[in-house]
Amino acid sequence: MHPPSRQDYISISLAGQGTYNNGKQWRRQSCWRKWKRLSRLQRSLILLFLFMCGIASYPAVTEHLRGLTDGERSTESNSVLRPVFPQVLPEPVTPRPEPSSQKKLSNKRGPPILQNRLQKKGNGTVAVGEQKEEGVVSWRGAVVDADRDTEEAKEEESKDHLLANHQSGSSNQSEASLLEAVKDAFRHAWQGYKDFAWGHDELRPLSKSYSEWFGLGLTLIDALDTMWILGLKEEFEEARTWVATELTFNKNVDVNLFESTIRILGGLLSTYHLTGDTMFLDKAKDIGSRLMPAFNTPSKIPYSDVNIGKGTAHPPRWTSDSTVAEVTSIQLEFRELSRLTQDPQYQDAVAEVMKQVHTLDGKLDGLVPMFINTNNGQFTHQGIFTLGARADSYYEYLLKQWIQGGKKEDQLLQDYAQAIEGVKKNLLQKSSPNGLTFVGELSHGQFSPKMDHLVCFLPGTLALGAHHGLPADHMDLAKQLMETCYQMYTQMETGLSPEIVHFNMHEGSIRDIDVKLADRHNLLRPETVESLFYLYRFTKDHKYRDWGWNILQNFNKYTKVSSGGYTSINNVRDPDYTSPRDKMESFFLGETLKYLYLLFSDDPSLISLDEYVFNTEAHPLPIWPSTA
Ligand code: DMJ
């Protein structure tokens, strides 16, 4: 079914009925004549309208430029925009090459709705969901392919629609049916990847093609342990064969140290542990050793990028800085590689980073800035503190390294505990009117009520800490933040969270959460369902499952592509017009669906949290035995 055609823009027609055969000159004269004919009142109204449009778009655009987030390292990498405040964010990411066989999609930025809605088709203006070129139609935001068998598509749509409209939760369903729903979602996502992107980094489900980042089969590797945990043996075996026979790291390609560590090295190590198959360990050793040149810097703080074929490393073109979260969130994986290979070089390299960061000036009550210089080893762009992009997993890995090492490394624990106190003191506030607890940001002493979806890892990490003996008030805070993260979903018209929200703090506000135009996208991110998994494991409170169930239904309703795969969307605020982005991030299979499955499982021994610690890409690594 096609959505009713909509007029989502205001048209001011200054041209007359005449033809356009005299070119630009004619148009300019005609417009000027028409303008002169308007009354003073009419002209003033038009000018006022244009002025208001300019004012309205300014904050959203500047915020968007300033707020390039972690995920946008990968998703917006084609952009050449520079941030407005270069002292905060030196430059966006390295462009990712698109395969030449693919049609280039527009990578324009700016308010996504306007950008996509006004695409011309013949003489008319159509919504992107109506575009037939790529075989896509949109029905109440549910994405289906035009070339799909109609009956089959209708049946699936109505199933999703029914489910989404019965968001009473998961309580009246058996554990088996909940687990099966996640398996269905995985199979559907996998089918799309298999059909259109096999062996490539990411599926582009609408254009039925793929995108490359490193050219290393990122989605396939990220998904290996998820398939194992979900018991999808056939799919796993096929993927294993590809890894064994096709995957090679002997490639002249620049990879991001952090992303390839958490997704590739982490994915291979965890699959090795789950399966006992040494082929995965051999591959892990190969990529691990190829990443080591990143640490050859004057300060030993690693560069962001490594050429795994040439053995050379370098910072981004525009700076000699690395991101703090990136250099401090590779430790679990490198430490484990050392333990398995009995070769200390990996652990030594990442321990040196932690040692230096521990002693650095420029922290605020244990909170760290977002950048660190690879020449002098000092923090740069100081004075800005966030639990979101570029700092987030620093905090996560303090706690998790401590757990991984058997709770012996006191410095890690102290840094973590101090940072949580720092969060409470400097970043925690309540919204109005409903008093939602949220984590904002601080910029040179100025508080901003901005919270990235990425921050929603924090309830889970706090709960994990409390489970491992940290103060009980960490659990209280975890529960409050969990509620807030869920509200970020449920208060949106699609029931899916945007990338970034702003909380209202002034008395008399009518709603707690605002979303700027440029922040309305959803990238199928895992952080909220990740935290729901921890909260449910530790409390057994069924509301967390219900919440996860509702989120899954909304992913199915608004992001599922019927010809296979799921897509990120641009607009969580309009169920009729979600504006799909045509990209399935590898973490949807690596993390989001895995955490949903674990959330719905009542078996605490399925990846026991007393035996495993998840890396930041949801790959479980063993907690070291006490003799290690
Ligand atoms: C993942 O790659 C990891 O979870 C990372 O720590 C944060 N960003 C994405 C998921 O949102």
Side-chain angles (χ1 to χ4, degrees):
M1 208 189 301
H2 291 260
S5 66
R6 296 174 49 149
Q7 194 92 0
D8 288 315
Y9 53 92
I10 298 170
S11 159
I12 302 171
S13 172
L14 295 175
Q17 299 304 312
T19 55
Y20 278 69
N21 50 7
N22 288 336
K24 281 183 191 163
Q25 176 83 7
W26 186 93
R27 275 202 302 275
R28 266 200 302 272
Q29 284 170 3
S30 170
C31 286
W32 180 243
R33 248 183 266 130
K34 290 281 175 192
W35 175 254
K36 296 285 279 181
R37 263 188 242 139
L38 295 175
S39 72
R40 187 171 293 170
L41 178 65
Q42 284 172 314
R43 281 189 235 159
S44 307
L45 281 173
I46 290 170
L47 288 173
L48 181 67
F49 171 74
L50 293 173
F51 178 69
M52 297 299 284
C53 287
I55 295 278
S57 62
Y58 180 74
V61 172
T62 52
E63 183 65 27
H64 187 51
L65 295 180
R66 196 187 75 77
L68 283 175
T69 63
D70 135 278
E72 290 168 331
R73 286 175 225 152
S74 62
T75 57
E76 302 294 345
S77 50
N78 289 332
S79 166
V80 290
L81 288 177
R82 278 161 199 263
V84 170
F85 306 122
Q87 77 277 18
V88 179
L89 296 172
E91 185 94 7
V93 292
T94 319
R96 291 166 60 177
E98 294 284 341
S100 53
S101 61
Q102 271 171 229
K103 245 184 244 164
K104 268 258 186 253
L105 286 190
S106 162
N107 61 7
K108 266 189 277 172
R109 298 185 63 160
I113 309 168
L114 295 180
Q115 182 182 307
N116 286 321
R117 278 188 181 174
L118 303 180
Q119 296 187 24
K120 287 273 180 195
K121 185 183 174 194
N123 294 328
T125 304
V126 294
V128 73
E130 293 176 296
Q131 280 185 288
K132 300 295 275 189
E133 195 191 355
E134 300 290 348
V136 182
V137 294
S138 166
W139 174 73
R140 283 196 57 76
V143 186
V144 293
D145 282 354
D147 57 7
R148 178 93 188 276
D149 170 65
T150 327
E151 280 311 303
E152 196 188 333
K154 269 189 194 153
E155 212 173 276
E156 201 154 308
E157 280 166 21
S158 76
K159 200 168 108 192
D160 290 343
H161 189 56
L162 271 178
L163 287 170
N165 281 342
H166 286 88
Q167 298 200 335
S168 55
S170 60
S171 318
N172 51 359
Q173 299 194 55
S174 68
E175 182 191 356
S177 69
L178 297 174
L179 295 176
E180 200 50 43
V182 184
K183 284 195 199 179
D184 280 347
F186 186 96
R187 284 192 202 100
H188 185 83
W190 189 249
Q191 194 60 49
Y193 178 74
K194 229 178 114 174
D195 288 347
F196 310 121
W198 184 251
H200 297 285
D201 283 344
E202 293 133 346
L203 169 67
R204 294 175 60 190
L206 300 183
S207 47
K208 298 182 180 172
S209 63
Y210 57 85
S211 55
E212 295 292 29
W213 189 1
F214 310 141
L216 296 172
L218 211 53
T219 295
L220 189 148
I221 300 174
D222 228 357
L224 284 167
D225 56 5
T226 306
M227 289 184 268
W228 186 264
I229 291 167
L230 269 56
L232 299 173
K233 293 206 176 101
E234 223 173 274
E235 290 85 348
F236 177 84
E237 282 309 325
E238 255 179 308
R240 187 213 174 270
T241 304
W242 184 87
V243 173
T245 60
E246 306 280 329
L247 177 62
T248 172
F249 296 125
N250 189 12
K251 271 189 162 177
N252 179 7
V253 60
D254 276 355
V255 303
N256 174 284
L257 170 69
F258 163 74
E259 298 290 358
S260 49
T261 298
I262 65 169
R263 301 186 199 212
I264 299 175
L265 179 56
L268 292 168
L269 287 174
S270 75
T271 309
Y272 162 66
H273 277 295
L274 295 176
T275 62
D277 183 341
T278 53
M279 186 273 292
F280 293 110
L281 179 57
D282 292 340
K283 294 283 180 188
K285 285 183 207 162
D286 190 12
I287 184 68
S289 61
R290 288 172 186 275
L291 292 173
M292 288 305 283
F295 296 90
N296 295 335
T297 68
S299 66
K300 298 192 179 151
I301 300 297
Y303 289 133
S304 59
D305 297 286
V306 193
N307 187 304
I308 53 173
K310 289 187 188 161
T312 54
H314 57 88
R317 275 196 309 277
W318 55 90
T319 178
S320 51
D321 291 348
S322 287
T323 297
V324 170
E326 294 195 356
V327 301
T328 56
S329 309
I330 49 180
Q331 278 64 17
L332 291 176
E333 300 80 357
F334 278 87
R335 282 156 50 112
E336 179 59 10
L337 190 56
S338 271
R339 193 179 72 94
L340 291 171
T341 58
Q342 293 296 300
D343 178 350
Q345 62 161 324
Y346 309 109
Q347 172 148 10
D348 291 350
V350 294
E352 173 66 24
V353 179
M354 294 312 294
K355 193 176 115 202
Q356 290 192 36
V357 170
H358 173 73
T359 55
L360 280 185
D361 287 338
K363 292 187 199 164
L364 173 71
D365 302 317
L367 304 175
V368 290
M370 296 148 82
F371 295 98
I372 186 164
N373 189 272
T374 50
N375 289 323
N376 61 24
Q378 301 297 309
F379 287 133
T380 64
H381 311 294
Q382 295 195 27
I384 300 172
F385 301 100
T386 173
L387 264 274
R390 299 180 192 275
D392 48 1
S393 42
Y394 161 73
Y395 305 100
E396 180 186 351
Y397 269 37
L398 286 174
L399 178 74
K400 288 182 172 178
Q401 285 179 79
W402 177 70
I403 295 170
Q404 178 191 42
K407 307 188 198 175
K408 291 176 196 145
E409 297 150 287
D410 291 343
Q411 205 167 80
L412 292 166
L413 177 64
Q414 281 160 17
D415 285 355
Y416 175 76
Q418 191 198 5
I420 298 305
E421 291 312 305
V423 170
K424 288 190 211 161
K425 183 174 159 195
N426 300 289
L427 303 181
L428 218 55
Q429 287 290 347
K430 287 206 185 276
S431 67
S432 179
N434 291 309
L436 297 174
T437 303
F438 69 93
V439 182
E441 299 185 352
L442 206 60
S443 176
H444 305 288
Q446 189 103 14
F447 182 79
S448 161
K450 163 180 179 277
M451 182 165 147
D452 295 351
H453 181 271
L454 289 168
V455 180
C456 291
F457 80 92
L458 189 58
T461 298
L462 285 167
L464 180 66
H467 173 74
H468 282 284
L470 274 91
D473 72 318
H474 284 208
M475 191 57 162
D476 301 336
L477 181 55
K479 288 177 184 170
Q480 290 171 35
L481 291 173
M482 191 75 261
E483 169 74 40
T484 304
C485 287
Y486 184 59
Q487 289 301 322
M488 286 162 60
Y489 282 71
T490 201
Q491 292 194 14
M492 298 301 118
E493 288 76 355
T494 56
L496 292 174
S497 171
E499 179 74 358
I500 300 170
V501 298
H502 284 76
F503 290 91
N504 283 316
M505 291 173 66
H506 38 270
E507 266 177 50
S509 303
I510 45 169
R511 59 178 177 274
D512 293 84
I513 299 177
D514 280 333
V515 185
K516 295 186 190 291
L517 263 186
D519 302 335
R520 295 176 164 198
H521 47 294
N522 179 295
L523 305 183
L524 313 172
R525 282 197 190 276
E527 290 76 17
T528 295
V529 294
E530 167 186 354
S531 285
L532 288 171
F533 154 65
Y534 285 105
L535 269 285
Y536 181 71
R537 265 279 165 105
F538 297 135
T539 67
K540 290 283 170 253
D541 185 336
H542 276 261
K543 79 177 175 198
Y544 297 124
R545 261 188 171 186
D546 293 348
W547 295 356
W549 178 247
N550 293 342
I551 290 171
L552 176 61
Q553 298 321 304
N554 291 320
F555 276 135
N556 277 333
K557 188 171 177 191
Y558 294 109
T559 71
K560 188 171 176 181
V561 179
S562 69
S563 48
Y566 287 74
T567 178
S568 314
I569 56 174
N570 273 319
N571 186 4
V572 297
R573 304 236 56 173
D574 187 348
D576 292 329
Y577 200 84
T578 55
S579 177
R581 287 166 85 110
D582 193 18
K583 166 103 126 205
M584 184 172 78
E585 299 281 348
S586 78
F587 50 68
F588 184 62
L589 300 190
E591 299 194 69
T592 310
L593 294 179
K594 183 189 289 150
Y595 281 129
L596 280 165
Y597 189 83
L598 293 171
L599 165 66
F600 296 149
S601 165
D602 256 326
D603 177 3
S605 69
L606 182 61
I607 317 293
S608 159
L609 291 171
D610 295 311
E611 290 169 22
Y612 288 96
V613 64
F614 286 90
N615 86 342
T616 193
E617 189 75 6
H619 298 304
L621 298 172
I623 295 173
W624 297 343
S626 52
T627 51

